[in-house]
Amino acid sequence: MSRVQTVDVTAGRVAELVGRLAEADLAETLDPLPGLKARLRVAAGNWGQIADIAARQGLRWSAVWGDHRPPQILIRSLLFGCDGHLLLETAVDQALPELTSQVGAYIAADRPERALQDMFGVRFIDHPDRRRWLRHQGWAEGDYPLRVDFPVAGRRSGATPPDCNYPFPAVAGEGVYEIPVGPVHAGIIEPGHFRFQAVGETILRMEEHLGYVHKGIEKIAVGRDLSGLARLACRVSGDSAVAHGWAACQAAERALQVEVPPRAQALRAILAERERIANHLGDIGAICNDVGFAFAQVQMTRLREQVQRQNQVLFGHRLLFDRVVPGGAAVDLNAGQIVAMAEELRRLQTDVEELLPLLLEYPSLQDRLRGNGILPPDQAWRIGVTGYIGRASNLQDDLRRDAPYAPYDRLRVEVPAYLEGDVAKRVRVRGEEVLIAIGLIEQLLADLPDGALRVDCPAPRGEVEGIGLVEGWRGETVAYVRLSAEGRVLRYFPRDPSWLSWPALEVLLADVIVPDFPVNNKSVNGSYSGHDL
C-alpha cells in the first residue's frame, strides 16, 4: 500500500501580494508579529477589495476576529500563502462600525463575519446574509457581548427565549420535503441543528445552525494569568486539548519573546501527535460503523483505547489536558517510559498496517465510501478547509511542513493528498496520518533533547500581543493573545478548524442520499464545542 500520494499544488505567495499592494498604495506595511510573514494596515473601505486581490493571488483565508479598543474596534483577518501567513488589520468606529465584507472573495468568511456582527456589532455592509449566527436570543438587540463594557454575566434576567424562528430558506418544487434534525440528538453529543430539503432520498440542500452551547470562552479569558489561559484553552474542544493549549501558549510566548526549551518543544510535539493518532483511530472506526462495518469500529476503538491508556500512564491524563503549559510542558519522560512508548508504537504500527489495507480494499465497505460526499478541490479551497478534509480534496496545507515551528522545523513531515475528495479518501488520509505521526514520535524519542522542561514567562511591563499557529489533528489551529503590562489576558481568540469544516459538510452533501448523512458527517467530524465559543 502506498502511504503517501503527493500532488503538486502551488499556493499564492504572501511576499508577492504585499509588494503588489504597496505599489498600488492600498495598504501600509507594519512590523509583523512573530510567526507571521507580513502584516498590513488596510483602510476600512479597502477591506473587501484587498480580499479580492488576495484570492486572485491564490492565498487561503484562515480567520477573522475583533478586538474592542474604545473608541474603536480593531478587525483582523489572517490569510495563508505558500511562504507563510499574512495578517490584515483595520479599525472601525465603535459608534458606527461598518466594513466591507470579504465573503465575495472567500466564502469561508461568511459565518465568522456574522459572528463579529453578533458579538461586536460590526456591520458588513455588503454581506449576503443578514441572519444572526451566534446570538440565539441570548442577548437583546444592541447588546454586543464581546465589547469591553458588556458584563460577563450578561444583562438578561429569567429564562432565555427559545430559538425557534431561525429563517431557514426553503427549496420549492414538487416532491420537495424538509427533514429537521436536532439540535438535541439521540446520541450523547453536543447540540446542532441540521435542516434538510430532499426529494425522495436525495438531499437537495442542507443547512446547519450551530452555537447552542456558547460558553463565553473569549469573555471569561479576560483577566486571567497565563496558567489560567492555558487551562481554558485546553477546554475549547476536549478532543483538541493539546492543539488549542499549544496554540494559546505559543501565542503568549511569542508575545513575551520567551524561548521554550528544546526538550519541552519535543514533548509538546509528542503530545500533539498522540492526540492526532487517537482521534484518527476513533474516527476511522466510527465512519466504518456508520455503514454497518462494525469490525472496523471494534478494532480501531481497541487501538485508540490502548493509546489513551498509555497517555494516562505516561502523562497523567487520557486526553492530555493541561500537559502543555506556558513556557514548556508539565510532564517529562524518563528512559524507561521512552522505551515503553517506543515498544507500544511499534505494536500499534503493525496493527494499523495490517488493518488499513483491509479497510481500503474491502469491496463492500469501499462501495459505500467511494464517490460518497465529494468535496471538489476548488470548493475546498474556497471554503478554506484544512486538515484531513482539505488533504482528501488536494488542499495540502500543513503548518508542520509549510510554516514549521519547533520542533517540526528539524523534522521531515509527509503530507498525504488526493484529488477525489470523498469519504474513502478522508478515511485514507486519516490512516496515513496515523502512520506518519508514529514515525514522527519515533524520531522525537530517538533524539529527545536534554535540558529544562519549562522556563518562566515574566510580565512584559507593557502591552504585547502574539499569534499561535499549530497544526492540530483537525488542521490549522489559530490563537491570538493580547496581554497587559502585568501579564494578564486582555483578549484571547481561538479559531478551531471546525469553523471551516462545518460549511464543507453542507457543500459535500449535495446529491447524497439521506441515509448517507451520518457517514459523511462523521467523515468531517466538526467540533460543536470548538465552534461554539
Side-chain angles (χ1 to χ4, degrees):
M1 180 186 68
S2 173
R3 282 179 49 188
V4 179
Q5 172 186 347
T6 302
V7 184
D8 184 26
V9 173
T10 302
R13 294 180 60 83
V14 169
E16 292 175 6
L17 175 65
V18 170
R20 181 177 174 184
L21 295 176
E23 277 185 23
D25 200 26
L26 287 173
E28 176 188 354
T29 302
L30 304 174
D31 291 336
L33 299 179
L36 301 180
K37 177 69 175 179
R39 178 180 169 208
L40 299 175
R41 179 179 291 134
V42 180
N46 294 336
W47 191 248
Q49 181 186 2
I50 297 294
D52 289 337
I53 297 171
R56 290 196 297 270
Q57 191 77 20
L59 271 67
R60 171 176 59 80
W61 194 92
S62 177
V64 67
W65 66 93
D67 190 356
H68 188 200
R69 305 186 188 185
Q72 293 183 317
I73 301 171
L74 185 66
I75 309 296
R76 281 168 161 159
S77 180
L78 188 68
L79 307 176
F80 180 75
C82 65
D83 55 342
H85 287 83
L86 168 65
L87 186 66
L88 304 176
E89 62 181 55
T90 191
V92 293
D93 192 317
Q94 67 181 23
L96 188 65
E98 292 187 341
L99 195 61
T100 55
S101 173
Q102 295 184 340
V103 173
Y106 295 109
I107 194 173
D110 181 357
R111 291 172 181 173
E113 287 186 352
R114 289 165 65 192
L116 275 176
Q117 177 178 287
D118 293 346
M119 298 291 107
F120 289 93
V122 177
R123 178 176 176 265
F124 291 89
I125 56 178
D126 52 347
H127 197 288
D129 193 341
R130 296 294 182 191
R131 294 174 295 171
R132 284 184 173 187
W133 180 244
L134 288 180
R135 296 180 70 185
H136 283 222
Q137 313 303 321
W139 302 280
E141 290 291 341
D143 279 347
Y144 303 113
L146 288 184
R147 291 197 181 189
V148 296
D149 56 349
F150 191 84
V152 173
R155 297 193 177 104
R156 185 185 292 278
S157 60
T160 300
D163 182 47
C164 57
N165 297 311
Y166 187 75
F168 289 98
V171 175
E174 185 176 351
V176 178
Y177 65 99
E178 276 195 344
I179 307 172
V181 178
V184 179
H185 299 280
I188 305 174
I189 61 174
E190 294 170 283
H193 187 85
F194 304 93
R195 184 67 60 91
F196 297 83
Q197 275 94 34
V199 170
E201 286 195 321
T202 302
I203 299 169
L204 300 177
R205 185 176 187 276
M206 190 279 283
E207 184 176 356
E208 306 148 353
H209 196 207
L210 307 174
Y212 292 93
V213 286
H214 181 77
K215 305 181 293 294
I217 291 284
E218 295 169 277
K219 194 74 174 180
I220 64 176
V222 176
R224 290 179 179 240
D225 62 14
L226 292 186
S227 294
L229 171 66
R231 287 181 59 81
L232 182 66
C234 284
R235 288 151 180 83
V236 168
S237 182
D239 57 12
S240 303
V242 178
H244 279 289
W246 192 351
C249 288
Q250 186 187 83
E253 290 152 3
R254 285 174 169 174
L256 296 169
Q257 299 181 14
V258 168
E259 193 71 32
V260 177
R263 187 175 184 87
Q265 295 284 26
L267 288 167
R268 286 180 174 185
I270 291 169
L271 293 168
E273 298 307 318
R274 292 186 68 88
E275 182 171 79
R276 191 183 319 278
I277 290 168
N279 282 294
H280 282 333
L281 291 173
D283 275 4
I284 292 170
I287 291 167
C288 294
N289 188 62
D290 274 339
V291 293
F293 195 54
F295 168 80
Q297 184 184 39
V298 171
Q299 295 301 319
M300 292 299 171
T301 301
R302 172 180 66 86
L303 297 178
R304 181 186 184 185
E305 179 64 18
Q306 289 175 0
V307 173
Q308 292 184 325
R309 286 186 182 185
Q310 193 177 55
N311 285 347
Q312 177 69 49
V313 171
L314 297 180
F315 300 109
H317 200 287
R318 286 170 58 87
L319 299 179
L320 305 175
F321 277 38
D322 307 321
R323 307 300 91 179
V324 177
V325 295
V331 286
D332 203 354
L333 292 171
N334 60 39
Q337 290 172 323
I338 291 172
V339 170
M341 188 191 297
E343 290 176 351
E344 185 69 23
L345 287 171
R346 282 193 291 271
R347 288 192 291 268
L348 176 63
Q349 180 173 341
T350 298
D351 285 343
V352 172
E353 287 179 338
E354 288 179 355
L355 284 167
L356 278 182
L358 170 63
L359 305 185
L360 299 176
E361 297 168 13
Y362 191 65
S364 296
L365 176 62
Q366 289 301 315
D367 184 59
R368 295 294 307 277
L369 304 185
R370 286 179 184 151
N372 194 347
I374 295 173
L375 180 66
D378 61 327
Q379 292 277 31
W381 183 87
R382 291 194 69 226
I383 297 168
V385 69
T386 61
Y388 49 86
I389 307 169
R391 289 165 204 147
S393 298
N394 198 34
L395 190 61
Q396 296 183 30
D397 297 353
D398 188 316
L399 301 187
R400 297 171 299 171
R401 181 195 66 185
D402 303 327
Y405 47 96
Y408 294 108
D409 53 357
R410 61 182 176 88
L411 302 174
R412 181 177 180 270
V413 180
E414 296 177 298
V415 181
Y418 295 93
L419 293 166
E420 290 86 346
D422 57 6
V423 176
K425 286 302 185 284
R426 290 192 282 276
V427 170
R428 181 180 283 270
V429 168
R430 279 180 170 88
E432 291 174 353
E433 286 197 356
V434 168
L435 296 173
I436 291 167
I438 290 172
L440 290 172
I441 296 174
E442 288 174 339
Q443 290 182 59
L444 290 163
L445 292 177
D447 189 26
L448 192 62
D450 294 325
L453 195 64
R454 186 177 180 180
V455 295
D456 290 333
C457 294
R461 300 182 182 178
E463 192 173 302
V464 293
E465 57 187 340
I467 291 181
L469 298 161
V470 168
E471 189 67 29
W473 74 275
R474 277 195 178 93
E476 180 190 63
T477 304
V478 179
Y480 167 76
V481 173
R482 180 162 63 93
L483 300 173
S484 70
E486 297 74 35
R488 296 277 172 172
V489 177
L490 295 173
R491 179 77 173 99
Y492 168 53
F493 166 75
R495 201 276 286 141
D496 189 85
S498 300
W499 273 94
L500 306 173
S501 59
W502 280 117
L505 178 62
E506 293 182 345
V507 172
L508 62 84
L509 281 175
D511 295 325
V512 169
I513 60 173
V514 173
D516 277 345
F517 167 68
V519 69
N520 278 281
N521 188 23
K522 179 52 67 175
S523 79
V524 170
N525 193 12
S527 169
Y528 295 93
S529 184
H531 174 280
D532 299 344
L533 299 177

